């Protein structure tokens, strides 16, 4: 083996060894998060057969790793470096696609569990908006109930990790176009009619997105376009000064028009950030005879609403974006049907080491992540349909009766069949039947149940809840309840109540009245209630414009003495779609397992060290001698720690399932 070939193999081996040290060195303290919201991709470092320097942007827990791109002027070394770079990029893209696939499949299941929440939100909004003789605007209702906005936040999070990973990966491969080792010899290619992206400049990008196609028989359609902030989307910590920005749309033809009653935007083809559109407001927009893609789109309930499809916008070297999307189980790209959507790093014959054809990276399939994202989009659309039908049902009952009541709900009927929904008429029939039976039940047994009003508070069953002492006024200023103890249940937006400051209600709010204060402090009222004093209960619905006053705020805590703790303010946080920062997750590790099998890190480092030292002695090269000694020292003092770390990751369930 000549000296150049020996150096080539040494460079490859060194690249294989580098991440094992770098990853083990990042050991961050983990703290506990305040809430558990099921919106998180948990990316981590995955060891393949030939993993190199580190997993790039968006796919590392706690820290953004670095993709190492080595270069050489030696023509014998360059093919090996190109091969390793091709495998690195392919492995990173494969990991990004697999994590995205897994995360979105889980998101789809979790979103399905929110169906009843959104049904009730829509019903309460229907109660708040209903007026006798008025017709129902279901899209305005679902917008006010925040369903569309939460769907937009969910969608933006579903694509952010993959899109951020490709952004960061592209920044690292830019050197393909300027470094002599790679220039003109590395090619990124997506499957489809596009032949491939030249490595001449190294610029390419891909964004997963929801696709809305208005190129239909009527020539237009509607879609909700949301406005999602940077703090509402999870990507890893940025260290390059280029944070990921959500809230964008792609257009694929000049003159694409987005319009509603307030705005008309005429856009040329390309990627557009919503923050750059003059006066942009989230809402439902009409698309005319065009196809768009975006990260914050949601399906609406009006006629001619556009069905959303999972897609991928990709481009290279500053050229126009191409679009591939999944429709009816088929992948369409630039008007052509594809059997598969793949990503591949291509090396021409002669640009990789002789005899290494079988070690060229395989194409990375992107089908799975598109399919799971499609499942999520379908689940969100189905949830919106269920909520819309429920709201329409209670609205129809209000209109028929000529009166509304927040107690009317379709949730008295259990309906949990996958992928199905009841029409408004079916909901009404089932709901009226349940209401009739409930009325008969109360008529028969109501007098026996009144005793349950007494004894809610006891030393054995203390609540953990916020209490307010004050009065309630309607939107016209009429006093409805004077000096009572109550708890407001705001439905859509967070509200902070401060002692002495009135709150004007601007959303659907149910208020539970626990008793009359009659001049007593909350602590005195509570003590009197526990000791058997007169207890008054009631519930009221505070519509928009109602005023909630307060003279005292307190939180009742289990085991606390006195039970009522007076506070200066209480923040009522409404449950909504959010994310968990992986840097704040507390994980209780299992006891350290025994290291699994032979410590190959020790073996590889020691063999390489001996090889380098021997070659240095043979070639009389002190650099190789020092390098060999360094590897040997690493094997002796650090290899066990790194191997133990890998064993613990495997014991904790693995990094990729």
């Amino acid at each position: 083996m000549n000296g150049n070939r020996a150096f080539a193999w040494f460079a490859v081996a060194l690249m294989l060894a580098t991440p094992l040290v770098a990853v083990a060195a990042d050991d961050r303290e983990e703290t506990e998060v305040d809430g558990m919201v099921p919106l998180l991709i948990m990316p981590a470092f995955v060891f393949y057969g030939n993993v190199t320097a580190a997993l790039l942007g968006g796919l590392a827990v706690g820290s953004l790793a670095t993709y190492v791109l080595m270069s050489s002027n030696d023509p014998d070394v360059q093919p090996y470096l190109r091969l390793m770079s091709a495998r690195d990029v392919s492995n990173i893209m494969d990991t990004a696609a697999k994590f995205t696939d897994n995360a979105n499949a889980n998101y789809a299941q979790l979103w399905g569990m929110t169906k009843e929440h959104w049904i009730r939100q829509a019903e309460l909004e229907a109660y708040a908006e209903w007026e006798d003789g008025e017709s129902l605007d279901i899209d305005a209702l679902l917008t006010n109930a925040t369903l569309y906005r939460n769907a937009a936040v969910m969608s933006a999070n579903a694509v952010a990790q993959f899109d951020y990973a490709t952004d960061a990966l592209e920044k690292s491969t830019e050197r393909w176009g300027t470094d002599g080792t790679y220039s003109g010899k590395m090619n990124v290619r997506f499957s489809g009619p596009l032949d491939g992206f030249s490595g001449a400049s190294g610029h390419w990008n891909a964004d997963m997105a929801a696709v809305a196609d208005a190129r239909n028989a009527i020539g237009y359609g509607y879609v909700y376009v949301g406005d999602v902030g940077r703090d509402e989307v999870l990507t890893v910590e940025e260290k390059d000064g280029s944070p990921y920005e959500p809230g964008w749309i792609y257009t694929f033809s000049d003159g694409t028009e987005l319009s509603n009653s307030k705005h008309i935007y005429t856009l040329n083809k390309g990627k557009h950030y919503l923050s750059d559109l003059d006066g942009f407001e989230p809402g439902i927009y009409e698309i005319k005879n065009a196809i768009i893609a975006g990260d914050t789109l949601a399906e609406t309930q009006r006629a001619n609403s556009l069905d959303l499809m999972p897609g991928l916008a990709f481009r290279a070297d500053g050229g126009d974006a191409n679009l591939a999307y999944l429709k009816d189980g088929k992948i369409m790209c630039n008007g052509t049907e594809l059997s598969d959507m793949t990503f591949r790093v291509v090396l021409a014959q002669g640009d990789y080491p002789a005899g290494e054809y079988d070690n060229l990276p395989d194409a990375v399939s992107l089908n799975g992540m598109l399919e799971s994202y499609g499942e999520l989009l379908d689940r969100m659309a189905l949830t919106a349909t269920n909520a819309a039908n429920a709201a329409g049902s209670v609205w129809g009952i209000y209109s028929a009766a000529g009166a509304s009541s927040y107690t009317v709900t379709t949730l008295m009927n259990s309906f949990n069949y996958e992928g199905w929904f009841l029409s408004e008429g079916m909901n009404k029939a089932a709901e009226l039947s349940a209401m009739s039976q409930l009325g008969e039940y109360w008529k028969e047994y109501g007098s026996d149940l009144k005793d349950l009003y007494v004894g809610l508070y006891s030393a054995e069953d203390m609540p953990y809840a916020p209490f307010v002492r004050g009065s309630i006024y309607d939107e016209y200023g009429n006093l409805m309840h004077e000096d009572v103890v109550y708890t407001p249940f705001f439905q859509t937006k967070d509200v902070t109540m401060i002692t002495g400051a009135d709150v004007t209600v601007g959303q659907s709010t149910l208020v539970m009245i626990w008793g009359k204060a009659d001049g007593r402090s909350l602590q005195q009222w509570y003590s009197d209630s526990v000791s058997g004093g007169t207890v008054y209960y009631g519930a009221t619905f505070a519509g928009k414009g109602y005023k909630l006053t307060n003279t005292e705020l307190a939180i009742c805590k289990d085991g606390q003495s006195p039970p009522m703790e007076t506070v200066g303010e209480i923040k009522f946080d409404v449950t909504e779609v959010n994310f968990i920062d992986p840097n704040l997750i507390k994980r209780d590790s299992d006891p350290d397992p025994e290291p699994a099998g032979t410590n190959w890190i020790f073996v590889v480092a020691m063999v390489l060290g001996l090889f380098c030292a021997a070659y240095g002695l043979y070639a009389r090269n002190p650099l190789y001698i020092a390098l060999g000694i360094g590897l040997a020292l690493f094997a002796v003092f650090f290899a066990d720690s790194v191997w133990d770390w890998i064993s613990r990751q495997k014991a904790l369930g693995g990094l990729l399932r």
Side-chain angles (χ1 to χ4, degrees):
M1 181 182 294
N2 62 36
N4 288 336
R5 178 63 57 88
F7 177 78
W9 282 112
F10 167 73
V12 171
L14 182 60
M15 292 177 73
L16 284 170
T18 301
L20 304 178
V21 182
V23 173
D26 190 291
D27 184 17
R28 293 193 175 204
E29 180 181 356
E30 297 169 322
T31 57
E32 188 168 0
V33 70
D34 290 334
M36 185 61 189
V37 187
L39 273 182
L40 172 66
I41 297 178
M42 289 289 292
F45 196 89
V46 181
F47 289 92
Y48 288 89
N50 285 312
V51 174
T52 59
L55 186 59
L56 183 71
L59 294 176
V61 172
S63 177
L64 184 63
T66 304
Y67 165 56
V68 176
L69 188 69
M70 290 187 172
S71 62
S72 173
N73 294 323
D74 194 318
D76 289 334
V77 174
Q78 289 178 343
Y80 292 93
L81 299 183
R82 288 193 289 268
L83 175 60
M84 294 308 300
S85 181
R87 293 181 64 87
D88 291 345
V89 173
S90 296
N91 284 340
I92 292 169
M93 181 63 81
D94 185 56
T95 303
K98 283 185 169 67
F99 271 113
T100 302
D101 180 9
N102 181 71
N104 284 334
N106 287 322
Y107 292 170
Q109 295 183 63
L110 292 168
W111 191 269
M113 298 178 185
T114 69
K115 182 182 72 173
E116 284 75 14
H117 169 76
W118 292 118
I119 285 175
R120 191 56 181 151
Q121 284 284 90
E123 291 173 346
L124 290 174
E125 190 62 34
Y127 172 78
E129 296 183 9
W130 181 85
E131 292 184 12
D132 197 11
E134 295 293 325
S135 59
L136 171 63
D137 183 342
I138 191 60
D139 279 324
L141 186 147
L142 294 182
T143 298
N144 293 336
T146 70
L147 192 155
Y148 289 154
R149 167 163 172 72
N150 276 269
V153 174
M154 175 74 262
S155 184
N157 276 276
V159 304
Q161 290 290 334
F162 179 83
D163 294 349
Y164 183 53
T166 57
D167 287 348
L169 186 57
E170 183 266 341
K171 291 172 185 175
S172 291
T173 58
E174 285 180 2
R175 279 185 56 193
W176 284 0
T178 58
D179 193 295
T181 301
Y182 306 93
S183 182
K185 301 178 184 298
M186 304 289 290
N187 187 15
V188 169
R189 180 175 298 166
F190 289 88
S191 62
L194 196 67
D195 291 333
F197 295 161
S198 170
S201 68
H203 290 282
W204 62 276
N205 192 254
D207 287 320
M208 189 166 72
V211 177
D213 191 356
R215 301 171 302 178
N216 49 35
I218 60 175
Y220 68 93
Y222 298 95
V223 66
Y224 178 88
V225 184
D227 185 13
V228 177
R230 173 68 190 88
D231 60 343
E232 296 177 286
V233 173
L234 172 64
T235 54
V236 300
E237 178 184 0
E238 300 91 358
K239 294 186 177 180
D240 60 358
S242 302
Y244 176 82
E245 291 295 335
W248 41 262
I249 57 173
Y250 278 91
T251 54
F252 301 92
S253 58
D254 290 338
T256 298
E257 186 174 293
L258 284 73
S259 62
N260 59 19
S261 59
K262 295 182 179 180
H263 302 284
I264 298 177
Y265 299 108
T266 303
L267 306 173
N268 291 330
K269 54 188 174 183
K271 185 176 183 179
H272 309 273
Y273 285 93
L274 301 176
S275 58
D276 294 335
L277 303 183
D278 186 30
F280 175 81
E281 295 177 323
I284 297 173
Y285 285 80
E286 179 183 341
I287 314 298
K288 293 184 177 178
N289 199 31
I291 187 170
I292 68 169
D295 65 334
T296 62
L297 307 185
E299 291 187 27
T300 72
Q301 293 297 306
R302 67 179 56 187
N304 303 318
S305 174
L306 298 175
D307 294 335
L308 294 182
M309 302 169 287
L312 191 73
F314 53 97
R315 62 192 186 282
D317 295 344
D320 295 335
N322 294 269
L323 178 65
Y325 56 92
L326 187 63
K327 181 179 182 180
D328 299 328
K330 301 176 182 178
I331 295 178
M332 306 300 298
C333 182
N334 296 346
T336 300
E337 182 181 331
L338 307 181
S339 59
D340 197 16
M341 185 64 194
T342 62
F343 169 91
R344 183 192 294 270
V345 180
V346 179
L347 288 172
Q349 187 172 0
D351 291 335
Y352 57 86
E356 294 291 329
Y357 177 81
D358 291 339
N359 287 324
L360 292 175
D362 295 328
V364 176
S365 176
L366 305 179
N367 286 14
M369 72 173 195
L370 292 177
E371 290 169 356
S372 60
Y373 182 42
E375 291 175 6
L376 174 61
L377 294 174
D378 291 344
R379 187 62 59 90
M380 290 192 291
L382 183 61
T383 298
T385 300
N386 276 289
N389 286 346
S393 175
V394 298
W395 189 284
I397 290 174
Y398 296 162
S399 297
S404 61
S405 171
Y406 65 86
T407 61
V408 177
T409 176
T410 61
L411 294 178
M412 288 190 291
N413 306 291
S414 178
F415 181 73
N416 293 310
Y417 292 121
E418 186 73 23
W420 293 355
F421 59 88
L422 297 181
S423 67
E424 284 187 23
M426 296 170 70
N427 264 320
K428 288 177 186 175
E431 187 176 350
L432 291 173
S433 176
M435 289 171 61
S436 175
Q437 295 177 56
L438 183 62
E440 293 174 1
Y441 186 87
W442 179 258
K443 183 178 180 181
E444 183 72 21
Y445 304 107
S447 59
D448 298 326
L449 300 176
K450 289 183 179 179
D451 290 342
L452 297 180
Y453 277 116
V454 181
L456 175 65
Y457 309 106
S458 67
E460 293 78 24
D461 185 27
M462 293 175 61
Y464 183 88
F467 290 86
V468 181
R469 177 190 166 199
S471 300
I472 302 173
Y473 297 82
D474 68 13
E475 67 269 38
Y476 304 108
N478 299 316
L479 179 62
M480 306 295 292
H481 302 276
E482 183 178 10
D483 195 21
V484 293
V485 178
Y486 66 91
T487 299
F489 296 93
F490 301 103
Q491 298 297 315
T492 56
K493 299 177 182 177
D494 296 346
V495 174
T496 298
M497 297 191 74
I498 301 173
T499 301
D502 298 343
V503 171
T504 300
V505 177
Q507 58 183 298
S508 301
T509 304
L510 177 67
V511 180
M512 187 64 197
I513 300 173
W514 307 110
K516 294 182 178 179
D518 292 331
R520 294 171 294 176
S521 68
L522 287 174
Q523 178 57 48
Q524 185 61 52
W525 166 82
Y526 184 88
S527 299
D528 292 345
S529 298
V530 170
S531 61
T534 302
V535 179
Y536 164 84
Y537 294 91
T540 188
F541 192 90
K544 295 178 181 179
Y546 272 57
K547 183 171 68 174
L548 307 180
T549 70
N550 77 85
T551 56
E552 185 183 1
L553 302 173
I555 297 177
C556 185
K557 295 184 178 180
D558 185 16
Q560 178 177 272
S561 182
M564 285 286 188
E565 177 188 359
T566 301
V567 295
E569 68 175 39
I570 298 177
K571 184 173 183 180
F572 296 87
D573 289 320
V574 177
T575 300
E576 61 182 350
V577 173
N578 210 327
F579 63 80
I580 297 174
D581 189 335
N583 295 321
L584 301 180
I585 292 178
K586 179 178 177 62
R587 181 179 66 184
D588 295 324
S589 300
D590 294 337
D592 289 345
E594 290 296 322
T598 303
N599 186 339
W600 289 106
I601 296 176
F602 175 86
V603 174
V604 171
M606 185 61 73
V607 170
L608 286 175
L610 294 174
F611 169 79
C612 289
Y615 180 79
L617 291 172
Y618 169 78
R620 299 177 182 274
N621 189 325
L623 177 61
Y624 278 92
I625 295 174
L627 209 53
I629 294 173
L631 284 169
L633 291 174
F634 165 77
V636 172
F637 293 105
F638 299 105
D640 284 343
S641 297
V642 176
W643 191 248
D644 289 347
W645 180 86
I646 297 172
S647 297
R648 284 196 298 272
Q649 300 308 307
K650 292 176 67 178
L652 289 170
L655 296 174
L656 183 64
R657 297 182 185 276

